[in-house]
Amino acid sequence: MLTALSELSQMFRAQAEGCRANGGPTGSPLTHALLSAAADDLDAGGVSAEVMAGAERDRQGSVPGLRFAGAVHRLVLEGRAPDLARHYPNVGGRLRADELWADAEPVLREHLDELRRRVRATVVQTNEPGRMAPMLGGLLVAAQRAAREVGRSGAFPVRLWEIGASGGLNLRPDRVAVRLGNGDVLGDPDSPLRLDAQWTGLPPADLGQPLQVVERAGCDTHPVDVSTEDGRLHLSSFVWPDQLDRWRRAQAAMRLAAEDPVLVERASGPDWLSRRLTQRQSGVLTVVWHSVVWQYVPPGDRARGRSVLAEAAAQATPDAPLALLVYEPRRVPNSEGGPYRFDLLLRLWPAGLSLHLGSGGGHGIPFTWNEQVWN
C-alpha cells in the first residue's frame, strides 16, 4: 500500500508529465523539471516533504504540485531567490535542467516555513487571458443566435457573469483586441491587451456586429484583488515562467483590469448565481460563463449549480433569454494533441439550443471553430 507521501510524489510526477513540452507551446520544461526533481526528493524524504507537510492527503484536483511550483515561483518574482532566478526566463534566466534542483533546494530550506504556509493556504488560480479570444466569438454567436430565435433585428446586449473568476481578468472580452489571420481586429483595437487568435475557421456569427456588454461581474471562493501588488504576484506566480507569451498576456490583462475595475465577489458559484439569476432584465441576454474551473469545484457545488441553472432556464423568456457558455477540458484518449481537448460549449434558453462551437488549446490559443450539436 502506498504511503500518503508516495501518493503525493505520484501526483507531482503526473503534474510534471502534464507540463512536458512535447515540442508544443503549451508545455513548461522548467515546471516539468522542478516537479520531477521534487517528486524524487519527496520519495527520499527530503526538504520537499517538509514543505508539503500537512498536504500529504490533498486530493488530486487541488493540484498540490502546481501549488508548490507557484509558491517557489513567487519567491523568484519577489527577488528573494537570485540563484534560482537564473533558470526562470520571465525574469531573464535560462533553464539549466541539470543544475535546477541544486539551486532550488537551498531556497526551499531557507524559506521552509513560508513555503509550507503558502502551499497550504493557497489555491491554484488559472486566469488565462487568451481564453477571451474564443470567448468573444462565443458571445457574438450567443447574442446573435438568441436574437435570431425571436426575430429580433439586432443582437442582444449581454450581461456577463463569471463563476470562478479569480481576479476577473476574463470579464472584458469586448475590451480586448483580437487579431484575426486576415489582419482584421475584433473588440477594441486600442486595447492594451492584444491577442493573436490563431483561429482555424471563424465563429458562425456576423463579426461586423460589435458585442455590447452592459453589465459584468464575477464570483470566486478565493477572489484575487489585482489592484494590489499581492494580488498581481499571486496570479503571476501560477503562470509558467517559460511561457513568455502567456506571461506578457497576463501582465497586459492586469494593466487593463487596473484601468477598468470589475467586481469579483467572494462566494460559491451556486450561492452567487441563485441571487443573480432572480434579477431578470428585459431586452438583455444573461450569460453565465466559466473556463477551466469545473475540475476544482466540489461535487456538491456542481450538483447545486446545475440545479440553480436549471431553475433559471425554466424561467427564461424570449425577451430575457439565458445562456451558458463554458470552456472546459474533456479527456480524449490516445490523442496526439494530449490527453485533453478544450471545448467551447453553448446552451441557450428558452430556445433550447445546445451547440459545440469548437475546440482549442488550454489557454484559448489556438482555436478551431466547428459548430456541431452538443449532446
Side-chain angles (χ1 to χ4, degrees):
M1 180 179 296
L2 291 175
T3 66
L5 205 57
S6 296
E7 290 180 356
L8 186 62
S9 73
Q10 285 194 354
M11 283 192 277
F12 269 51
R13 293 187 198 284
Q15 288 152 14
E17 191 61 28
C19 299
R20 187 184 291 276
N22 290 326
T26 60
S28 173
L30 190 154
T31 310
H32 173 266
L34 179 65
L35 293 183
S36 297
D40 291 341
D41 190 61
L42 283 168
D43 286 337
V47 66
S48 298
E50 297 179 68
V51 171
M52 299 303 294
E56 298 93 341
R57 299 189 181 278
D58 285 5
R59 62 185 180 90
Q60 187 171 359
S62 70
V63 280
L66 298 186
R67 285 154 43 212
F68 171 90
V72 174
H73 188 191
R74 176 153 179 161
L75 291 176
V76 171
L77 294 176
E78 292 176 336
R80 295 194 286 148
D83 291 339
L84 185 56
R86 70 190 184 99
H87 299 277
Y88 281 65
N90 60 335
V91 293
R94 181 175 63 85
L95 174 63
R96 301 164 179 83
D98 57 340
E99 302 173 16
L100 176 64
W101 189 250
D103 288 330
E105 188 176 21
V107 173
L108 268 58
R109 294 194 182 282
E110 180 182 355
H111 301 281
L112 175 61
D113 291 340
E114 178 184 346
L115 288 169
R116 184 191 297 122
R117 287 195 302 271
R118 193 169 294 283
V119 165
R120 293 186 66 178
T122 196
V123 295
V124 173
Q125 303 278 12
T126 56
N127 258 200
E128 292 292 346
R131 294 176 193 145
M132 280 190 284
M135 182 188 182
L136 175 57
L139 286 170
L140 288 170
V141 174
Q144 294 176 26
R145 197 67 60 90
R148 191 172 77 189
E149 289 293 318
V150 298
R152 183 184 171 104
S153 59
F156 274 100
V158 166
R159 294 193 299 179
L160 182 59
W161 294 340
E162 184 178 14
I163 301 168
S166 187
L169 299 189
N170 290 343
L171 277 164
R172 304 168 186 82
D174 54 324
R175 296 175 183 172
V176 171
V178 177
R179 187 177 62 198
L180 306 185
N182 62 3
D184 289 349
V185 174
L186 299 181
D188 179 3
D190 298 321
S191 174
L193 177 55
R194 303 185 65 82
L195 302 176
D196 182 0
Q198 298 180 38
W199 283 351
T200 299
L202 292 171
D206 179 359
L207 303 187
Q209 288 191 43
L211 176 69
Q212 183 185 5
V213 180
V214 295
E215 185 180 353
R216 65 192 88 213
C219 76
D220 198 282
T221 54
H222 299 84
V224 180
D225 184 354
V226 294
S227 70
T228 68
E229 181 69 10
D230 179 72
R232 292 189 293 272
L233 281 168
H234 180 72
L235 285 188
S236 297
S237 72
F238 290 110
V239 178
W240 289 341
D242 41 3
Q243 293 190 340
L244 296 182
D245 285 344
R246 281 183 67 205
W247 175 261
R248 296 184 190 105
R249 289 199 297 262
Q251 304 312 305
M254 284 189 273
R255 290 194 296 273
L256 179 59
E259 297 174 5
D260 179 26
V262 177
L263 175 65
V264 179
E265 297 183 52
R266 184 180 298 276
S268 71
D271 292 340
W272 188 74
L273 282 180
S274 66
R275 297 194 306 269
R276 288 271 170 173
L277 291 176
T278 61
Q279 306 166 16
R280 282 186 292 175
Q281 185 173 339
S282 297
V284 173
L285 170 66
T286 297
V287 179
V288 176
W289 153 255
H290 60 79
S291 65
V292 196
V293 71
W294 206 235
Q295 69 201 63
Y296 304 111
V297 178
D301 275 0
R302 293 185 191 182
R304 286 202 302 130
R306 291 190 184 101
S307 177
V308 168
L309 193 64
E311 291 178 12
Q315 300 299 317
T317 67
D319 191 49
L322 173 67
L324 173 68
L325 182 67
V326 304
Y327 192 64
E328 295 286 350
R330 288 188 172 186
R331 186 175 289 277
V332 184
N334 304 318
S335 169
E336 292 183 2
Y340 292 97
R341 182 187 72 199
F342 293 78
D343 292 338
L344 184 66
L345 306 171
L346 171 67
R347 290 197 194 278
L348 280 172
W349 298 279
L353 292 179
S354 295
L355 301 175
H356 172 283
L357 295 177
S359 303
H363 308 136
I365 299 172
F367 188 85
T368 298
W369 294 95
N370 181 23
E371 181 181 329
Q372 302 175 30
V373 173
W374 171 21
N375 294 318

